[in-house]
Amino acid sequence: FSISGNKIWSSSQHRFYCAAASPKITTHYTIYPRDQDPRWKDVNMERYEDEADVLIVGGGPSGLSAACKLKQLANQEGKELRVCLVEKAAEIGGHILSGACIEPRALNELFPDWKERGAPLKTEVTEDTFAILTATGRIPIPVFRGMPMDNHGNYIVRLGNVVRWLGQQAEELGVELYPGYAASEILYHEDGSVKGIATNDVGIHKDGSPKDTFERGMELHAKVTIFSEGCHGHLAKQLYNKFNLRENCQPQTYGIGLKELWEINPDKHRPGRVEHSIGWPFDNSTYGGTFLYHLDEGPLVVVGMVRFKHHPSIEPVFRGGKRIAYGARALNEGGYQSLPKLTFPGGCLSGCSPGFMNVPKIKGTHNAMKSGMLAAEAVYETLTNEELVAKSETVEIYEEKIRSSWVWNELYAVRNVRPSFNTRFGGDHTKLKPAAECTPIEYPKPDGVYEYVETEDGKRLQINAQNCIHCKTCDIKDPSQNINWVCPQGGEGPAYNGM
C-alpha cells in the first residue's frame, strides 16, 4: 500500500510514528510522479492498446457471472461481442476467500444444469446449529425454517474452486480471461467518461526506479467497463470520488473475515454440518460471530475466528488436526443503506465492490452473482438497443434492474439488522479511540508466523508488501485516510488454493 502525509497509525501498538525519522514510506508513482524523477527520463512510456466491447475488472463470482451472462445473451442471438476480463491473481480463483456456505439461487439461474456441468458444490447442508457462547459454556438457539441462519438447500463450498469452475464456463462461452493482469489505473475519455483501464507496469525496484527488465502496462479500452473488484476495490474507491457515487447513501461499514482450513481426525468429521455462534470471544459492544463448516472432502473443516478454536465446546474438533491454509478478507456490512449509485458514464459497479452482502445471512455470493448477471443484461441491452446507444453508454437501466430484483428485496428486508448494532454514523475510520481510552488486549505470544525486527526500542512488527493478503483493512481503518492500497504486479499476492 502507499501512504501520503507524514504519519502512520499502528493499531497493534497504539502509537503514532513520524515518517521523518524513518525511510521513505512509499515510492509509488502516484505520490512521487515519474515525470519529476530523473531516473525515468529516457524510459519509453508508450503502452500497447487493445479494444473490447465490454471489459470486466475482477474475476470473482460477480465478474465471471457478468462475463458468462454477456456471452450467453450474445451467443443466443448470434451476435459478435468481445468480452475481456482481467484478474490480478495469477490464476482465476487465486485471491478468492470466503466461508463459504452459499445459496445456489443465482447459479440456478445462470447455469440450470450446473450439476451436470460438474460444478464443485458437493456438500449440501445436512445439519444447522446456532448458539450463544460464554467463556466456558454454550447456549443453543433453535434454527427455524425461514430464519436468516437457516441453510436448508445451501451448499458448503471452497469458493475459490467454484470461481475456478466459473472461469472454465466463461472460457467455453468465448470470454477472454486474463489472469495475472492487475488493473492499476482507470482511463478516461476527454469528456470524463470511463474509457477502460491500464494494467500495471512491471520491473520496478523498491526505490521506485526502473529495472532493466521494466515493461509498461497495456491499455484496455471498452464501450462499457464493469468493475467487480470485491470489497473496497481500489479503483471503485476512485470512481466514488470522481462521480460522487456515495452522495445519497450512508458510509459503508466493514467487518473482517478470518478463515482457516483444517484437516481433522475422521472420527470428528460430520460432512454437511454448519455451526454458527455469537458471543464469546466478543464483548457486548462488538458485532461479530463465528462459523465452522464440515466439508464433504478431506476430512476438512473451515473455521472463522482464531480464538474461537479454544472454546471448550469447539476445541475437541481440532485436537490432533492440522491447519493447512489460512487467510483474511474485509466484508461490506453496510447493506441496503450503504449502496452507492451503481452507474456512471462508461461503466458500472457490481458484486461486493458496491456491497450486496446480506449480513444476518452471512452470505453475499448469490447476490454478487445476480448483480453481475443484471449488469450484463443492462450492458447488453444498452449496446444492442439503438435508442439506448443514441442516448449514451451509461447503463442507467442497471439501477432499475437491481431495484426490481430479488437482490433488492432481500437487502431491504434485513436493512435494520446491522445498523441496530451501531448507534454512531460515520465511516469505520472515524471509530478508533486513543489508546488511553481503551482496555489493553493481552495477545498470545507470537507463534512464528509474523516477522519481528530489532529496533532501538525493542522488537517491531515488520510488514512486507509481498506478504500482503489484499484484505484492504489498512486502507479502510486508517483514521487519517492517508493509505491508498495499490495492486502489486499482476499475479502477486496470496495464492489461495480453493479457499
Side-chain angles (χ1 to χ4, degrees):
F1 53 83
S2 63
I3 305 173
S4 59
N6 66 349
K7 290 180 179 177
I8 305 175
W9 173 258
S10 171
S11 59
S12 62
Q13 294 177 313
H14 308 294
R15 292 200 294 266
F16 277 103
Y17 289 93
C18 181
S22 58
K24 185 182 289 184
I25 295 170
T26 180
T27 59
H28 199 264
Y29 66 87
T30 56
I31 305 300
Y32 297 96
R34 289 170 178 163
D35 58 6
Q36 300 174 24
D37 188 338
R39 300 174 299 179
W40 289 88
K41 181 180 179 183
D42 299 319
V43 177
N44 180 8
M45 299 301 284
E46 291 186 12
R47 288 193 284 217
Y48 172 76
E49 298 178 4
D50 198 6
E51 183 84 27
D53 292 306
V54 184
L55 173 63
I56 300 171
V57 179
S62 182
L64 286 166
S65 295
C68 290
K69 189 64 178 180
L70 278 163
K71 292 302 289 186
Q72 286 176 343
L73 293 168
N75 295 345
Q76 286 167 9
E77 297 189 359
K79 294 183 181 294
E80 288 292 326
L81 188 75
R82 187 182 182 201
V83 179
C84 296
L85 181 149
V86 294
E87 163 57 41
K88 61 185 175 66
E91 62 177 18
I92 298 297
H95 286 176
I96 295 295
L97 179 142
S98 182
C101 180
I102 70 169
E103 187 176 302
R105 186 173 184 179
L107 183 60
N108 291 337
E109 295 180 11
L110 185 62
F111 293 109
D113 59 343
W114 57 264
K115 290 185 180 180
E116 291 74 16
R117 289 171 175 262
L121 283 75
K122 308 296 185 184
T123 310
E124 189 166 2
V125 175
T126 57
E127 293 182 73
D128 229 339
T129 67
F130 189 38
I132 298 175
L133 300 184
T134 65
T136 59
R138 182 184 186 95
I139 306 169
I141 300 174
V143 178
F144 297 109
R145 193 61 53 84
M147 290 175 61
M149 302 306 296
D150 171 28
N151 286 288
H152 179 77
N154 296 336
Y155 289 81
I156 304 168
V157 301
R158 297 168 69 176
L159 192 59
N161 292 345
V162 176
V163 166
R164 189 179 298 116
W165 176 85
L166 280 173
Q168 294 167 359
Q169 309 312 303
E171 281 192 310
E172 290 178 9
L173 287 165
V175 178
E176 297 178 35
L177 301 181
Y178 297 102
Y181 287 85
S184 63
E185 180 182 346
I186 305 172
L187 305 175
Y188 298 95
H189 291 287
E190 290 185 3
D191 65 0
S193 61
V194 170
K195 185 179 184 179
I197 62 95
T199 62
N200 54 355
D201 304 333
V202 297
I204 303 170
H205 287 291
K206 283 186 177 181
D207 64 3
S209 62
K211 296 180 180 179
D212 293 338
T213 56
F214 172 78
E215 289 187 17
R216 191 76 160 119
M218 68 175 293
E219 294 189 8
L220 279 168
H221 304 165
K223 296 172 184 175
V224 178
T225 304
I226 302 175
F227 292 84
S228 305
E229 299 175 280
C231 177
H232 205 72
H234 73 290
L235 298 183
K237 181 179 174 180
Q238 298 173 35
L239 293 168
Y240 292 145
N241 293 329
K242 181 174 178 62
F243 296 108
N244 203 15
L245 301 179
R246 304 203 64 88
E247 179 182 16
N248 297 314
C249 67
Q250 293 291 338
Q252 187 59 266
T253 60
Y254 300 88
I256 182 168
L258 309 171
K259 177 184 177 180
E260 294 181 351
L261 179 64
W262 278 70
E263 185 174 10
I264 63 172
N265 290 334
D267 60 344
K268 299 173 182 175
H269 191 222
R270 300 173 69 174
R273 181 177 172 86
V274 165
E275 299 183 40
H276 290 104
S277 71
I278 56 175
W280 189 91
F282 301 105
D283 59 28
N284 291 334
S285 62
T286 303
Y287 185 92
T290 62
F291 65 86
L292 176 61
Y293 304 153
H294 292 244
L295 289 156
D296 193 7
E297 56 180 298
L300 297 178
V301 297
V302 292
V303 58
M305 273 300 296
V306 177
R307 289 175 60 201
F308 168 64
K309 300 193 303 285
H310 299 285
H311 192 271
S313 69
I314 302 299
E315 187 272 338
V317 175
F318 298 95
R319 194 179 301 154
K322 179 183 179 182
R323 186 188 66 192
I324 58 178
Y326 64 92
R329 192 68 175 90
L331 309 167
N332 286 318
E333 292 190 343
Y336 176 83
Q337 290 90 336
S338 297
L339 285 175
K341 190 175 189 299
L342 302 172
T343 60
F344 45 86
C348 61
L349 300 163
S350 76
C352 289
S353 185
F356 287 105
M357 189 174 88
N358 183 324
V359 178
K361 269 190 179 181
I362 325 177
K363 290 177 179 59
T365 301
H366 64 301
N367 286 340
M369 291 179 66
K370 182 62 174 178
S371 72
M373 294 155 63
L374 293 173
E377 292 176 8
V379 168
Y380 185 77
E381 291 174 24
T382 298
L383 295 180
T384 57
N385 185 313
E386 292 184 3
E387 293 184 7
L388 292 174
V389 171
K391 292 179 181 178
S392 78
E393 285 167 359
T394 299
V395 285
E396 293 288 349
I397 53 173
Y398 172 43
E399 302 265 2
E400 300 169 15
K401 286 179 177 292
I402 285 286
R403 282 173 169 76
S404 60
S405 73
W406 49 259
V407 173
W408 194 260
N409 294 336
E410 181 175 311
L411 294 185
Y412 182 80
V414 298
R415 65 194 181 280
N416 292 324
V417 174
R418 180 65 182 90
S420 67
F421 288 88
N422 185 4
T423 56
R424 293 192 299 157
F425 291 108
D428 283 11
H429 66 278
T430 67
K431 305 298 180 66
L432 290 177
K433 298 178 181 178
E437 297 179 15
C438 302
T439 302
I441 301 174
E442 295 297 328
Y443 292 103
K445 294 179 66 175
D447 58 5
V449 174
Y450 302 103
E451 179 183 353
Y452 285 81
V453 296
E454 296 288 347
T455 68
E456 292 181 0
D457 300 324
K459 289 187 176 181
R460 173 177 61 82
L461 176 65
Q462 175 70 26
I463 300 174
N464 297 308
Q466 62 267 31
N467 294 332
C468 174
I469 58 173
H470 301 196
C471 74
K472 310 293 181 65
T473 305
C474 59
D475 191 328
I476 293 167
K477 202 65 177 174
D478 168 40
S480 59
Q481 289 295 278
N482 268 344
I483 295 177
N484 287 306
W485 187 93
V486 297
C487 55
Q489 292 184 166
E492 294 184 355
Y496 296 136
N497 183 17
M499 287 286 277

